[in-house]
Amino acid sequence: MMLFVIAMVDPAARARLTRLRELAAPFGILPRDVHGHITLAAYAGGEEGRFISSCKAILSGYEKFSVRYDGVELFASTSAVVAAPRKEGPLDAIQREIAGAWAADMNEWTRRDVWQPHTTILYHPQADLEAIVEALREEFESFAAQVDRVEFSREYEDRYEIVDFIELA
């Protein structure tokens, strides 16, 4: 079982990301809300309580912060179209601290040397993702999003469950 540490973006940013997804409707992608988060870490170790406490201690040193989304990208290996925030500032620093403290227990995508911050707009292995990315890029405009909450989300086979969270001051 995997436990994710996810930075939640504000409602206006989630709405903007959902509108981007809606641009994929002509490609057969059903409209639905985008969850609007950036995964900071995916913990695969056996000490969830200690991991959450450690992360909360790290996060207690941070206040609300902004991230800047600069574009739309295709993650072909995972059949995902994503919005990519800059890998900088508090977002990058928090991930560096968590991944540094728990390096042996991070999954393959959230280890420090490979982590690419992103918000998944859509996942669809059968769609023409290159064409979708091009359509979204034509309409995309750079924007800022606010992060004021970080959640700890457990992954199950068919769902996710928020098991804890921290509000940033």
Side-chain angles (χ1 to χ4, degrees):
M1 192 172 334
M2 196 79 63
L3 182 70
F4 294 90
V5 182
I6 56 176
M8 299 301 299
V9 299
D10 64 271
R14 287 195 302 272
R16 194 167 186 159
L17 293 164
T18 295
R19 283 192 299 280
L20 269 177
R21 180 187 167 91
E22 291 168 355
L23 295 173
F27 298 92
I29 305 299
L30 297 175
R32 69 169 214 209
D33 290 343
V34 172
H35 188 243
H37 71 275
I38 303 163
T39 301
L40 299 167
Y43 175 75
E47 301 179 74
E48 280 189 6
R50 211 167 72 96
F51 175 73
I52 290 171
S53 293
S54 170
C55 290
K56 283 183 157 185
I58 290 168
L59 291 161
S60 70
Y62 291 89
E63 296 178 349
K64 298 175 187 179
F65 61 93
S66 291
V67 295
R68 183 133 203 103
Y69 285 93
D70 281 334
V72 176
E73 296 179 17
L74 171 60
F75 283 7
S77 65
T78 57
S79 301
V81 175
V82 304
R86 294 178 186 168
K87 187 177 179 178
E88 64 183 16
L91 180 73
D92 190 47
I94 291 166
Q95 199 281 335
R96 182 184 315 110
E97 285 191 60
I98 294 171
W102 295 89
D105 296 311
M106 295 293 100
N107 79 342
E108 64 184 306
W109 304 109
T110 59
R111 291 190 179 116
R112 182 64 192 161
D113 58 336
V114 297
W115 177 69
Q116 294 180 300
H118 66 278
T119 300
T120 300
I121 297 171
L122 63 94
Y123 163 81
H124 199 293
Q126 292 78 35
D128 183 354
L129 297 178
E130 290 180 10
I132 292 171
V133 166
E134 286 308 311
L136 271 57
R137 283 180 177 159
E138 287 178 17
E139 299 296 322
F140 184 86
E141 293 181 13
S142 181
F143 69 97
Q146 182 82 12
V147 173
D148 59 6
R149 178 182 172 109
V150 175
E151 296 178 347
F152 300 89
S153 174
R154 189 174 295 124
E155 177 187 45
Y156 294 97
E157 194 169 303
D158 61 342
R159 65 186 170 88
Y160 292 89
E161 174 190 10
I162 304 305
V163 297
D164 207 343
F165 65 90
I166 183 170
E167 300 285 346
L168 302 177

